[in-house]
Amino acid sequence: MIKRSVMGLVLGGLCVAGCAKTESADLLTSGIYAAITARASGDGNTTVSATLYVDDPNQLNFVELTGDDSLIATSGAVHQEMRQSELGNIVSHTAQFTGDAEGTAFTVDLIRSVDHGAPATTMTLPAGFTIAPPPAAASRNADLQLTYAPAGTGDDMVWTIAGGCITTYEAHLTNDSGVVSIPAKLLAPIAGSEAATCSVAVTLSRQRAGQLDPGYGKGGTALAEQVRQVSWSSTP
């Protein structure tokens, strides 16, 4: 699974080489792939996002909602039309809700008149957590251990490390243990940065799979996640 932060970098780089955009008026829902996420970052809010693609998402052909097509995100009694944003041919849809408690449920409804749309993609937030602060600075020559709590939920845990002088790396924890162990070999500097000091960040995501509406004929993903990040200065 590719974390959203990494996916954004990859997507931006690929779209420099070329991506496409198709109006939804030219498509049935059976020809759409959907990537839908509810993401809480610990600030008391949750952002629901959706990216729609024509057929295979690897083709980077984005769906632009036109006419009376819309995406409605719902949590409890709150309903919001998701805002469509476009950057060149990259099209995304977002809505922000107050609240990020474990068990908070979200539904995303693709409303269309051309067919039945996809009314019932659902996601439920897992438990939030806190990462203990790392040291302000740490040598790349030594292993590093981060701890977080609470642990032991049974949800999937994914962590990504990135920085200006190291190679980006992503991994799944084998269990929700409360510990992220980072071996020194993952902190090895990229060529030319051996003597550099740079900021390094670890992003940790607790993820729970949602239920994608079967109306999306090309499939997709539905995911709810709690995301936290810490950083430090990486020294030789």
Side-chain angles (χ1 to χ4, degrees), residues 7-75:
M7 176 63 89
L9 294 173
V10 173
L11 193 57
L14 289 175
C15 278
V16 170
C19 57
K21 178 173 64 178
T22 298
E23 293 187 357
S24 61
D26 297 328
L27 298 165
L28 294 175
T29 309
S30 59
I32 296 176
Y33 177 102
I36 302 176
T37 303
R39 179 175 184 172
S41 300
D43 62 355
N45 300 308
T46 300
T47 299
V48 178
S49 61
T51 306
L52 307 180
Y53 301 89
V54 180
D55 296 323
D56 183 351
N58 292 317
Q59 296 175 359
L60 297 178
N61 189 346
F62 296 84
V63 177
E64 177 187 34
L65 294 182
T66 56
D68 61 359
D69 293 347
S70 63
L71 281 164
I72 304 297
T74 298
S75 183

Side-chain angles (χ1 to χ4, degrees), residues 162-167 190 193 196 198-201:
C165 58
I166 66 170
T167 300
I190 58 177
S193 298
C198 71
S199 178
V200 167

Side-chain angles (χ1 to χ4, degrees), residues 2-8 36-50 82 93-101 104-106 108 123-126 128-129 158 160 202-208 222-229:
I2 299 179
K3 274 273 307 125
R4 257 58 50 198
S5 56
V6 178
M7 176 63 89
I36 302 176
T37 303
R39 179 175 184 172
S41 300
D43 62 355
N45 300 308
T46 300
T47 299
V48 178
S49 61
M82 298 179 72
H93 313 267
T94 58
Q96 188 173 75
F97 292 83
T98 300
D100 62 356
T104 302
F106 299 88
V108 174
M123 300 157 291
T124 302
L125 285 177
F129 59 95
V158 179
T160 303
V202 163
T203 303
L204 182 61
S205 172
R206 173 171 282 150
Q207 302 180 347
R208 181 176 293 175
L223 182 74
E225 61 178 351
Q226 294 274 2
V227 180
R228 306 292 185 266
Q229 185 178 87

Side-chain angles (χ1 to χ4, degrees), residues 36 90 140-141:
I36 302 176
I90 301 175
R140 290 188 292 272
N141 294 316

Side-chain angles (χ1 to χ4, degrees), residues 140-236:
R140 290 188 292 272
N141 294 316
D143 296 346
L144 185 66
Q145 190 174 87
L146 300 175
T147 60
Y148 65 91
T153 66
D155 288 308
D156 195 18
M157 302 296 295
V158 179
W159 62 278
T160 303
I161 186 168
C165 58
I166 66 170
T167 300
T168 299
Y169 177 83
E170 179 186 284
H172 287 247
L173 292 181
T174 55
N175 53 61
D176 188 1
S177 64
V179 178
V180 179
S181 297
I182 306 170
K185 66 181 181 180
L186 295 184
L187 299 167
I190 58 177
S193 298
E194 291 81 1
T197 294
C198 71
S199 178
V200 167
V202 163
T203 303
L204 182 61
S205 172
R206 173 171 282 150
Q207 302 180 347
R208 181 176 293 175
Q211 183 67 47
L212 186 74
D213 191 287
Y216 294 109
K218 298 301 180 178
T221 59
L223 182 74
E225 61 178 351
Q226 294 274 2
V227 180
R228 306 292 185 266
Q229 185 178 87
V230 292
S231 61
W232 64 93
S233 291
S234 179
T235 62

